[in-house]
Amino acid sequence: MDVFTALASSLALMLVYYTLRQFWRRLRYTKPIQRGIDPVGEAEVFLAYGRTREAVRVLKDSLKDDPDNLHAKVALLRAYSSAGDSKAYVSLARDVHPQVQGQAVWHTIRENGRELAPQEPLFAKP
């Protein structure tokens, strides 16, 4: 067996392992609210440890159950900002803009939005 064949089989095994691991995590996922945990608080912990993907999953799931939860939306904006997902950030910022316009949190949302999507008129200085 040459080096390239060994490397290819090693990479294939790693791919299978990580795919099965992700599948297992999704399969055994229990909503934070069912575990007696505040979803926004759990997402904040995930964000503090750099686990942005898990934070986004928890917050999106929370918003399915409570679509008007402004705290979850603001935390999700923070997660999108950490992930550098400008498209999702702009879309959600448009959604929360009427609710937070004029508040201090809007200033932070606008500043982060300028960094992610400088061409977006929603984030232009007033």
Side-chain angles (χ1 to χ4, degrees):
M1 184 183 284
D2 67 345
V3 174
F4 294 114
T5 306
L7 181 62
S9 62
S10 169
L11 288 173
L13 283 174
M14 285 179 15
L15 179 65
V16 168
Y17 168 76
Y18 285 111
T19 303
L20 288 174
R21 189 172 133 194
Q22 287 297 90
F23 175 72
W24 179 250
R25 282 184 178 174
R26 285 190 202 132
L27 186 65
R28 67 183 183 110
Y29 175 72
T30 304
K31 293 180 180 184
I33 201 79
Q34 292 172 340
R35 292 180 278 135
I37 299 172
D38 174 37
V40 175
E42 183 175 47
E44 291 292 339
V45 170
F46 282 141
L47 287 173
Y49 285 98
R51 296 174 60 185
T52 307
R53 191 177 336 155
E54 289 92 342
V56 168
R57 179 183 63 190
V58 166
L59 292 167
K60 281 184 171 182
D61 190 48
S62 171
L63 287 170
K64 285 179 187 173
D65 295 336
D66 184 10
D68 296 327
N69 186 341
L70 184 60
H71 293 292
K73 289 180 181 181
V74 171
L76 186 55
L77 280 169
R78 183 170 163 228
Y80 286 151
S81 177
S82 294
D85 189 347
S86 62
K87 184 177 179 182
Y89 188 91
V90 170
S91 176
L92 187 55
R94 284 186 184 138
D95 182 44
V96 300
H97 180 253
Q99 296 168 318
V100 297
Q101 185 178 14
Q103 297 178 20
V105 71
W106 177 247
H107 176 72
T108 304
I109 293 169
R110 191 174 61 213
E111 291 298 316
N112 290 338
R114 274 194 214 123
E115 291 178 19
L116 285 172
Q119 74 286 356
E120 177 61 39
L122 179 65
F123 306 127
K125 289 189 179 185

